[in-house]
Amino acid sequence: MVAYNGNVAGRAELIRLLFIVSETLFTDSRIEPAQWPALKANTTWGSLPYLEVDGKTLGQSNAIIFYVSNQLGLGGEGEWNRAIVQSIVFATNDIKDGLSQLCVETPYSSNSE
């Protein structure tokens, strides 16, 4: 499996962690900003990360997380446990999104007049 992502910490971190925790070999292909324009049109959703498996690509980080976790036996056994895993992923996204807002200054958050 090849995980394509930007060369920054972001939504691909959990995907990388799944491979590392399960001790599964994978190719961590980090795309530099200068490379992205030439590659973007060939991605499913025009975004990163995406996963390549047997010549097929899967986009969207949550879909990749669920696919990889199930393939590696980390997705939970039974519907209830899979739902718990999904709730953890979505809660993690909510926390990350909230934290990222702390780093973004908006016109309304400035102390200047």
Side-chain angles (χ1 to χ4, degrees), residues 37-50:
L39 299 172
K40 184 176 181 178
N42 297 321
T43 65
T44 306
W45 300 104
S47 64
L48 294 171
Y50 69 94

Side-chain angles (χ1 to χ4, degrees), residues 71-82:
Q71 290 296 306
L72 302 179
L74 301 172
E77 292 184 23
E79 289 182 35
W80 181 257
N81 289 329
R82 281 191 296 276

Side-chain angles (χ1 to χ4, degrees), residues 26-67:
F26 75 106
T27 302
D28 186 11
S29 182
R30 299 190 185 211
I31 298 168
E32 295 294 336
Q35 297 171 294
W36 179 236
L39 299 172
K40 184 176 181 178
N42 297 321
T43 65
T44 306
W45 300 104
S47 64
L48 294 171
Y50 69 94
L51 182 72
E52 184 177 273
V53 180
D54 298 327
K56 299 179 284 189
T57 60
L58 178 63
Q60 296 297 317
S61 57
N62 287 333
I64 297 167
I65 289 166
F66 299 138
Y67 174 80

Side-chain angles (χ1 to χ4, degrees), residues 2-21:
V2 181
Y4 292 90
N5 50 79
N7 197 12
V8 296
R11 293 200 178 266
E13 291 306 309
L14 185 51
I15 298 164
R16 279 194 278 272
L17 286 173
L18 288 168
F19 286 117
I20 292 166
V21 166

Side-chain angles (χ1 to χ4, degrees), residues 92-113:
T92 302
N93 287 340
D94 290 346
I95 292 167
K96 186 202 75 61
D97 291 344
L99 290 173
S100 68
Q101 290 303 310
L102 296 174
C103 300
V104 176
E105 184 175 335
T106 65
Y108 303 107
S109 66
S110 174
N111 289 330
S112 62
E113 293 184 27

